[in-house]
Amino acid sequence: AFNVFNERYPDSDLRAEAAFQIAEMTVLMSRKRIHDEKTIKAAQERLEEYIKTFPDAADTPHAQELLTSLVSEDAARIYAIAEFYEKQSYLESAMIYYHEVATKYPQTSWAEKAKERIAQYEDPAAYLGEGKKTLEMQVESLMLQKSGLERAIEEGGDVGKIRGELKKVDEALNT
């Protein structure tokens, strides 16, 4: 109906509103068909076209919000596929999807997560090295905490409470 309106009345003041309604309906359809890439892509294209054609329209900010949300949802969907393949030990397939997220949606938080997973598999030594540094810092912090608790016992602190804290520190060090 909105398409027919735009065809019959190309100079109407309501054209922007009709175009937005078309874009919004496509977004709603894409959210019901989350595994249908064609519908998701159509929704993104309609929103982009609306924003480009009607940059000053009243609904343009809402269209931009919808587009941002749709892009993030699609990135999350593809990232979940990558995780699925990774859990099934199909690492090559997982890497394809992680790369897709990182390149297709670089502006999303999902791209950063995908880049981390890619780095883990492409340069495991560097990835593990960073993890080792973090772990060493945590151990050092726990050792300092343990020393402080031992001094507190020597200085006559609440032994029961301090021993409980020491036990927690020792458990953390042994995990």
Side-chain angles (χ1 to χ4, degrees):
F2 296 116
N3 284 329
V4 172
F5 176 85
N6 281 333
E7 288 172 13
R8 288 189 184 165
Y9 308 101
D11 298 325
S12 171
D13 292 340
L14 299 175
R15 193 169 152 249
E17 188 175 333
F20 179 73
Q21 294 298 322
I22 293 168
E24 193 172 41
M25 293 307 291
T26 309
V27 169
L28 293 173
M29 286 187 339
S30 76
R31 287 188 170 147
K32 289 185 178 185
R33 301 177 185 168
I34 60 171
H35 300 295
D36 183 356
E37 255 184 82
K38 288 181 183 178
T39 306
I40 293 168
K41 184 174 171 90
Q44 289 175 351
E45 288 172 354
R46 289 241 166 98
L47 287 167
E48 289 166 352
E49 182 64 27
Y50 175 82
I51 293 165
K52 180 180 162 189
T53 306
F54 304 103
D56 299 324
D59 287 319
T60 298
H62 184 55
Q64 289 171 325
E65 289 173 10
L66 284 172
L67 181 59
T68 299
S69 174
L70 196 60
V71 163
S72 182
E73 290 167 15
D74 198 31
R77 180 186 65 81
I78 296 168
Y79 189 89
I81 294 169
E83 283 185 314
F84 169 79
Y85 281 118
E86 184 177 358
K87 288 176 185 170
Q88 301 300 316
S89 297
Y90 294 115
L91 298 181
E92 287 180 26
S93 298
M95 293 301 283
I96 290 168
Y97 286 98
Y98 285 134
H99 277 286
E100 182 178 351
V101 172
T103 56
K104 191 174 179 183
Y105 301 115
Q107 72 280 17
T108 66
S109 61
W110 295 103
E112 284 305 311
K113 292 177 184 181
K115 288 175 188 174
E116 288 175 16
R117 301 306 290 162
I118 292 166
Q120 177 183 354
Y121 289 109
E122 288 184 348
D123 191 0
Y127 180 80
L128 293 173
E130 287 299 315
K132 183 179 177 187
K133 287 179 191 173
T134 302
L135 186 59
E136 287 171 349
M137 288 173 39
Q138 289 173 342
V139 167
E140 185 177 336
S141 172
L142 288 169
M143 293 301 287
L144 288 171
Q145 193 176 355
K146 183 176 179 179
S147 294
L149 290 169
E150 288 170 344
R151 272 195 309 276
I153 287 176
E154 290 172 7
E155 294 171 4
D158 182 349
V159 176
K161 183 177 179 182
I162 295 171
R163 287 212 171 131
E165 291 297 315
L166 268 173
K167 184 178 179 183
K168 290 178 190 175
V169 170
D170 282 335
E171 288 172 0
L173 284 169
N174 291 324
T175 57

